[in-house]
Amino acid sequence: MYKILRKERLNDTTTLMEIHAPHVANKALPGQFIIFRIDEAGERVPLTIADANRETGGVTIIFQKVGATTRLLDALEVGDSLLDFVGPLGKPTQTEGIQRAAVLGGGLGVAIAYPQAKALHQAGAKVDLFVGFRNRDLIILEKELRAACTELNIVTDDGSNGRKGFVTDALREKLEAGETYDAVIAIGPLPMMRAAANLTRPYGIRTIVSMNSIMIDGTGMCGGCRLIVGGETKFACVDGPDFDGHQVDFDSAMKRLNLYKAEEAQASEHICRLTGGKR
Amino acid sequence: MPNMQMQKTPMPEQDPIARGHNFQEVALGYTAEMAVNEANRCLNCKNMPCVSGCPVGVKIPSFIDCIKKGEFAKAYSVIRETNSLPAICGRVCPQENQCEKHCVRGVKGESVAIGRLERFAADEGMRAQVAPPAIQENGKRVAVIGSGPAGLSCAGALRQKGYAVDVFEALHTPGGVLVYGIPEFRLPKALVEKEIDSLRAMGVNILVNRVVGRFATLDELLATYDAAFIGSGAGLPRFQGIPGENLGGVYSANEFLTRINLMKAYDFPNHLTPVRVGKRAAVIGGGNVAMDAARCALRMGAEEVTIVYRRGEAELPARAEEIHHAKEEGIQFRFLTNPTEILGGEDGYVRAMTCVEMELGEPDASGRRRPIAKPGSEFTLPVDTVIVAIGNSPNPLIPQTTPALATQKWGGIVVEEGSLKTSVPRVYAGGDAVTGAATVILAMGAGKEGAEEIDKLLSEA
């Protein structure tokens, strides 16, 4: 069992939890993820590792209430336990040789982009961080983000805070003004990562995206997370989750991400009816 | 007096029509009376040809003798001396190619139903909660990677010799293919759990949610263990590489079976993992995994399930009993047929499959006749679920994170012939991780052999 050490509501839909899992905390590196299962009837769900504390053995995850499992997770409190918590999984982000980086995070992807920016920043790289939210009420981790970069750019879809528009608009301005980067790391919804890859392609800037495929085992034994990269089938859980954004087939990835929409809604309703969102 | 009836005592089974709609075990097992009746068919041969056919050397005539005398729990203890998982072996071993193949009674009539008797003894023994054997600790520690048949059998054998054994399992439930692959209706999961619990009762320590290569590398484990055994299996699914394989509704057999068996998607939404099965399902391949996937698809509500196999019926690699059960349940077979493309609709889901007819040419390197596509024979098969069961490769994670571990081109771990020794000192490997996909009992045999080799190494030291 894996105990919840800390719980913090970051906004109405987003929650941070620190889970006690020393064997994961000891080894976790930016870009890696965990898979958790709440109880015997639960499904296995992947989440990126947002932070890890080797002293306390705590692993931080940040999630949005989007379906049955994340709602059940959100209903748990400090002192409760998760039945299963496995990781670190996937390959860590390859950041060698990056001196000047743009890190893009969209929505919940901000929580995933944060450890990447922090690691690069701590390694001495100059990091421009671009984070995007739908509106000002959804902004999370502002203080932490500011400490993890050289320059923080906050954008909101509706302009309610920071500049109006998308993270890619802000990056476009920089590029058009002649700014250069060794790498762009883009993490967020698939359309955002696709837009980032399309933007950097003509500039020839190495662009790393973190693919959020549907997963089951997360160890390479089922291929549920497969996607097409450079014309070849890859498994996001073992070959990724980071890939070259210029090689990823985003259209087929989007279709695969939506495969179980109907079942997700059904499960969510079932949990709600049975328990009001709790077990 | 031995029972001289020529045929095996029949074993009751669920009705084929009824069982097509449930996940309960198909074969129901012997009653005590049936078991004693069948045990009496054994002639108790002096040279015991049956034992030579068993990869783990179960003392067959002596456990059958216990059954004859009605000492069922003792029969279980006799089997456990050489086999850590008898309730499982009695159900899933291809006995026709092993112990039963060599049975003297099989010369005229049917061989003794050794598998059914093993199953009976194990079920009875577990019910009676036979106490684990006393263990003399030797103070040495061994790490076992993977809790499938190879790892469990290695762990059980080492523990019996007095080693402290830690088994590292990547998934949340131990058992490997026994829990995620072989379906409930062939091997009830509660039973696998019970059998694994009896290993725990012996003191085998099983750690789940531990992916070796990620939370610790093999080299890091070797710093605190005297030796290691790799039984990580062959769990990396192969795809054909044809267009359309990434469409919705196309599954590897591993994904399909994992969702259903391990995650219990058949009980969705009480269990939260979904699986989607349409009206017409096609399973590509002809092995046991293909039969399991097809029979699961049927139980998930598919009205028409077709096995699409590129060779002929005679070449099917699945067990005769599985093919027979599949046919009884109404699974269709299309032999000498190979898919060339999977076609999808606007919504990204599969709609149909383009196939070609095949004919068999000259034997290839494996000795089987090579299938060749007939030009101009393309046709379209309407399907809404496709399950790819054309085989698995060894998982590359441990070799990738252990540079000194030598592997074959196709991914199998290289071991020294006759010793299961890998290229890394103090590390042994066995089962599908070495041979590629094979059978449960061969993996168990390799696990046992690995335990003996490790014992040899560590007793010399």
Side-chain angles (χ1 to χ4, degrees):
Chain A
M1 299 288 272
Y2 303 85
K3 201 172 247 181
I4 299 170
L5 301 174
R6 183 158 73 100
K7 177 183 177 182
E8 224 175 283
R9 284 244 156 76
L10 301 181
N11 62 37
D12 282 353
T13 57
T14 312
T15 304
L16 174 152
M17 274 183 185
E18 196 177 338
I19 313 288
H20 189 245
H23 72 280
V24 183
N26 280 337
K27 281 283 177 162
L29 291 169
Q32 290 187 300
F33 64 95
I34 57 93
I35 285 185
F36 73 95
R37 191 170 74 124
I38 292 179
D39 58 23
E40 277 300 333
E43 59 181 334
R44 295 168 64 96
V45 173
L47 285 176
T48 302
I49 297 168
D51 217 339
N53 185 330
R54 273 161 214 192
E55 271 90 67
T56 62
V59 177
T60 305
I61 50 173
I62 298 177
F63 60 93
Q64 255 169 348
K65 275 187 281 178
V66 289
T69 296
T70 43
R71 272 192 8 227
L72 289 170
L73 182 61
D74 189 64
L76 297 179
E77 299 299 341
V78 171
D80 291 342
S81 290
L82 305 183
L83 182 57
D84 297 298
F85 195 85
V86 56
L89 299 171
K91 290 182 178 162
T93 303
Q94 299 296 306
T95 52
E96 289 91 38
I98 301 179
Q99 295 300 319
R100 181 88 182 94
V103 178
L104 276 61
L108 186 66
V110 171
I112 308 168
Y114 161 66
Q116 323 265 4
K118 187 171 132 188
L120 280 166
H121 188 61
Q122 278 174 354
K126 201 157 171 271
V127 179
D128 289 353
L129 188 53
F130 302 81
V131 294
F133 302 93
R134 274 210 310 279
N135 62 56
R136 62 185 300 170
D137 299 330
L138 297 175
I139 294 174
I140 55 169
L141 302 173
E142 191 171 344
K143 201 176 81 206
E144 289 87 344
L145 293 169
R146 207 166 287 284
C149 64
T150 321
E151 182 186 310
L152 177 65
N153 302 277
I154 299 180
V155 302
T156 47
D157 293 8
D158 64 357
S160 54
N161 185 310
R163 52 163 300 162
K164 184 174 156 73
F166 298 123
V167 281
T168 39
D169 298 332
L171 176 63
R172 179 179 295 111
E173 269 177 29
K174 286 269 186 195
L175 293 174
E176 282 171 356
E179 191 64 76
T180 57
Y181 296 101
D182 298 328
V184 169
I185 300 177
I187 303 169
L190 289 171
M192 174 267 195
M193 293 196 284
R194 179 172 59 182
N198 287 341
L199 172 62
T200 58
R201 189 175 281 112
Y203 293 93
I205 303 173
R206 177 178 155 206
T207 298
I208 303 167
V209 296
S210 177
M211 299 303 286
N212 50 348
S213 315
I214 291 176
M215 288 186 191
I216 301 129
D217 60 288
T219 63
M221 62 157 271
C222 85
C225 65
R226 64 194 185 272
L227 70 168
I228 302 169
V229 182
E232 280 178 49
T233 293
K234 298 279 182 189
F235 292 0
C237 70
V238 287
D239 299 320
D242 285 357
F243 291 99
D244 175 352
H246 297 149
Q247 299 287 321
V248 169
D249 177 346
F250 283 100
D251 289 344
S252 71
M254 279 181 209
K255 279 184 180 150
R256 284 194 67 82
L257 203 58
N258 288 324
L259 288 181
Y260 293 98
K261 275 279 179 275
E263 288 83 356
E264 281 166 19
Q266 194 191 342
S268 211
E269 203 196 305
H270 179 76
I271 288 297
C272 200
R273 239 188 6 248
L274 267 187
T275 64
K278 290 194 186 191
R279 279 241 166 126
Chain B
M1 265 305 284
N3 167 358
M4 291 314 289
Q5 90 199 22
M6 298 302 250
Q7 259 78 44
K8 289 177 182 177
T9 309
M11 180 157 64
E13 283 181 354
Q14 267 199 74
D15 171 74
I17 304 298
R19 75 185 189 226
H21 303 284
N22 69 51
F23 274 85
Q24 278 140 39
E25 197 171 13
V26 167
L28 300 172
Y30 278 159
T31 61
E33 196 184 342
M34 292 172 190
V36 173
N37 186 51
E38 181 61 23
N40 280 322
R41 290 187 63 231
C42 173
L43 301 176
N44 206 356
C45 312
K46 262 218 182 73
N47 59 347
M48 302 183 287
C50 50
V51 179
S52 66
C54 173
V56 295
V58 167
K59 296 171 182 165
I60 294 166
S62 75
F63 96 76
I64 291 183
D65 193 53
C66 296
I67 296 180
K68 285 180 191 170
K69 295 176 187 149
E71 296 168 347
F72 303 146
K74 190 170 164 207
Y76 177 61
S77 298
V78 170
I79 302 172
R80 281 289 299 269
E81 285 173 35
T82 58
N83 182 346
S84 314
L85 309 165
I88 293 161
C89 291
R91 285 169 168 85
V92 302
C93 274
Q95 289 99 4
E96 66 273 22
N97 298 323
Q98 295 174 339
C99 53
E100 293 182 18
K101 187 178 179 181
H102 302 276
C103 176
V104 169
R105 291 299 304 268
V107 178
K108 271 194 209 164
E110 287 184 348
S111 56
V112 173
I114 301 166
R116 293 174 186 179
L117 289 173
E118 180 180 37
R119 168 190 165 143
F120 171 79
D123 290 357
E124 288 297 312
M126 285 198 293
R127 220 193 320 268
Q129 297 187 316
V130 175
I135 283 159
Q136 187 104 41
E137 302 289 341
N138 68 15
K140 290 180 180 140
R141 307 179 67 211
V142 181
V144 172
I145 302 164
S147 70
L152 289 178
S153 135
C154 183
L158 284 168
R159 184 69 198 127
Q160 226 154 20
K161 294 177 199 291
Y163 292 89
V165 184
D166 286 341
V167 181
F168 296 99
E169 169 55 47
L171 289 172
H172 57 258
T173 308
V177 76
L178 306 172
V179 294
Y180 75 75
I182 303 176
E184 183 75 21
F185 54 83
R186 278 216 290 141
L187 184 62
K189 301 306 150 219
L191 195 138
V192 177
E193 206 181 313
K194 252 175 142 180
E195 199 126 271
I196 291 173
D197 281 345
S198 65
L199 285 177
R200 285 199 180 101
M202 274 170 67
V204 172
N205 184 31
I206 302 177
L207 295 118
V208 296
N209 296 324
R210 296 292 192 283
V211 183
V212 174
R214 296 281 189 231
F215 90 95
T217 61
L218 178 60
D219 296 329
E220 286 163 339
L221 290 180
L222 287 172
T224 50
Y225 290 91
D226 296 298
F229 177 82
I230 307 174
S232 51
L236 187 79
R238 282 203 281 266
F239 288 91
Q240 275 183 297
I242 60 175
E245 278 178 342
N246 289 334
L247 287 165
V250 182
Y251 293 96
S252 74
N254 267 10
E255 178 181 357
F256 188 70
L257 292 170
T258 299
R259 282 179 181 271
I260 293 172
N261 299 322
L262 180 69
M263 307 309 298
K264 306 204 183 326
Y266 58 81
D267 185 34
F268 178 84
N270 293 319
H271 281 76
L272 286 176
T273 303
V275 68
R276 198 179 277 198
V277 182
K279 296 245 179 297
R280 281 188 283 220
V283 178
I284 305 168
N288 288 323
V289 174
M291 300 304 142
D292 285 344
R295 296 172 70 196
C296 278
L298 182 83
R299 285 162 172 77
M300 293 300 298
E303 286 163 14
E304 216 178 284
V305 181
T306 310
I307 299 245
V308 177
Y309 182 53
R310 63 196 185 122
R311 290 184 161 100
E313 177 155 17
E315 285 80 24
L316 277 176
R319 280 185 74 188
E321 187 186 331
E322 301 311 320
I323 299 164
H324 171 72
H325 276 152
K327 283 186 175 168
E328 265 188 346
E329 288 166 15
I331 309 282
Q332 315 273 313
F333 287 78
R334 258 182 197 267
F335 296 111
L336 293 165
T337 304
N338 202 29
T340 53
E341 183 172 4
I342 304 170
L343 310 164
E346 269 300 296
D347 56 359
Y349 275 88
V350 59
R351 289 279 184 286
M353 211 161 69
T354 308
C355 301
V356 284
E357 289 172 27
M358 311 292 281
E359 53 196 357
L360 293 181
E362 293 301 306
D364 62 12
S366 75
R368 292 190 299 177
R369 293 174 65 194
R370 190 196 306 271
I372 303 161
K374 275 195 215 168
S377 66
E378 283 84 3
F379 67 98
T380 304
L381 196 68
V383 286
D384 39 28
T385 301
V386 174
I387 301 156
V388 184
I390 56 169
N392 294 316
S393 309
N395 193 303
L397 198 52
I398 294 168
Q400 265 173 19
T401 51
T402 315
L405 188 68
T407 55
Q408 316 270 7
K409 244 195 208 130
W410 50 269
I413 296 172
V414 175
V415 295
E416 211 178 83
E417 219 179 295
S419 80
L420 298 184
K421 210 180 261 179
T422 70
S423 57
V424 179
R426 296 188 284 136
V427 178
Y428 295 75
D432 289 4
V434 170
T435 59
T439 63
V440 168
I441 188 66
L442 285 176
M444 288 187 53
K448 219 175 147 210
E449 193 188 332
E452 262 142 42
E453 292 296 330
I454 287 171
D455 184 47
K456 225 193 282 172
L457 174 86
L458 297 182
S459 343
E460 280 166 12

